[in-house]
Amino acid sequence: MDCTSSFISTNDLRRMFKQLDKNQDGLVTLDELCWILEKLGWAEHTQNDLELIVGKQSLDLDEFLRFYHDTVLASKGTNTNNDVVVVDDDEAIVRAFNVFDVNGDGYISAEELRDVLERLGFEEEAKAWDCGRMIRVHDKNLDGFVDFEEFKNMILHV
């Protein structure tokens, strides 16, 4: 997962889909979709809302990708054409930050980053990646953590 990006890449979405599709039937249920949206801090819709939006009880991979691009990115104020974030306020960024700030202390540590990656189904990647280095890249005040302003600057590519 590219932690410098403000959206999830198609390849990462494909891996998430594969992780969510536990019975390997090529479908993700609305329960599973609600679960991943909650883990990502995007739990704005109930399962009933999701059923009204998608019109059925499960999504195949193409529908899952379309749902993400049409629903999640649109609700976060992301322009999917040129990958530029156009956020009027910090609400979406705060929610994203809170996903990674597991202990709620206002800072993201390498351990918290690794924990979130593992919870999202990126166990192998979390082990292989140097989460400490990823934190250091964006840690402008050199305290060993990413605070909200550093996270915001990373998201907005400032």
Side-chain angles (χ1 to χ4, degrees):
M1 180 181 289
D2 180 1
C3 290
T4 62
S5 179
S6 58
F7 65 97
I8 301 171
S9 74
T10 300
N11 286 337
D12 289 334
L13 286 168
R14 288 176 197 274
R15 284 193 298 231
M16 279 183 183
F17 182 89
K18 186 176 178 181
Q19 292 286 331
L20 288 172
D21 184 16
K22 299 291 184 198
N23 64 0
Q24 299 179 348
D25 65 352
L27 298 171
V28 169
T29 67
L30 293 182
D31 283 337
E32 294 163 330
L33 187 59
C34 282
W35 180 85
I36 193 68
L37 291 174
E38 182 179 307
K39 291 292 182 190
L40 292 169
W42 300 333
E44 297 173 0
H45 302 291
T46 66
Q47 186 170 341
N48 290 337
D49 293 338
L50 290 175
E51 188 173 359
L52 289 173
I53 292 168
V54 300
K56 51 175 136 183
Q57 287 293 313
S58 57
L59 302 173
D60 65 20
L61 177 60
D62 290 334
E63 292 165 334
F64 179 76
L65 296 173
R66 197 169 26 256
F67 171 81
Y68 175 77
H69 289 286
D70 294 347
T71 307
V72 175
L73 290 181
S75 73
K76 300 303 164 212
T78 305
N79 178 339
T80 58
N81 294 329
N82 60 11
D83 302 335
V84 174
V85 178
V86 285
V87 178
D88 293 331
D89 60 29
D90 291 340
E91 182 182 338
I93 298 172
V94 168
R95 284 196 308 253
F97 179 82
N98 289 335
V99 168
F100 290 95
D101 180 18
V102 175
N103 65 9
D105 67 355
Y107 301 94
I108 301 169
S109 67
E111 293 78 21
E112 287 173 309
L113 176 60
R114 185 174 294 105
D115 178 58
V116 171
L117 292 173
E118 289 173 353
R119 283 188 309 170
L120 292 175
F122 293 97
E123 291 91 0
E124 293 303 314
E125 292 87 344
K127 290 175 187 171
W129 294 338
D130 181 356
C131 291
R133 186 186 66 75
M134 294 166 73
I135 293 292
R136 287 189 299 275
V137 166
H138 299 286
D139 177 19
K140 301 306 179 197
N141 64 3
L142 305 175
D143 64 357
F145 302 94
V146 170
D147 62 31
F148 178 74
E149 285 303 314
E150 292 164 335
F151 183 82
K152 180 178 172 181
N153 290 338
M154 174 192 71
I155 295 294
L156 298 176
H157 303 288
V158 176

